[in-house]
Amino acid sequence: MEHDLTLSEVLVDPLITQLRQADAVGYAAFAQLLQSAARVHTRQMLGNLQTERTDAFYRQVDAVPGNKHN
């Protein structure tokens, strides 16, 4: 597989559908679970990005010649 499945592709994938049904998980409940997990993942990634940008900013500030933080 060359790419990760989208949420829409996961919901209609035949193998995943068989597994979901074998576990007695309804379509709506599974869709809601995936959407919730995607929201949590997005929040975590945005938090990491903010931390990375903050760290990069302060590294640049510290690299400025004559900066009193050097």
Side-chain angles (χ1 to χ4, degrees):
M1 180 178 296
E2 295 183 20
H3 70 281
D4 293 335
L5 297 175
T6 65
L7 290 177
S8 298
E9 291 170 332
V10 168
L11 291 171
V12 297
D13 182 83
L15 180 57
I16 294 173
T17 297
Q18 286 181 343
L19 292 170
R20 181 181 54 75
Q21 290 172 343
D23 289 336
V25 176
Y27 179 88
F30 187 60
Q32 185 177 14
L33 172 68
L34 291 178
Q35 291 170 345
S36 176
R39 282 192 300 273
V40 169
H41 178 71
T42 299
R43 280 194 299 269
Q44 289 172 344
M45 295 302 291
L46 288 174
N48 292 345
L49 179 61
Q50 182 179 8
T51 299
E52 290 172 13
R53 284 182 160 184
T54 301
D55 292 346
F57 171 79
Y58 284 111
R59 280 194 302 274
Q60 287 182 342
V61 167
D62 289 341
V64 173
N67 188 331
K68 63 182 178 180
H69 294 287
N70 287 336

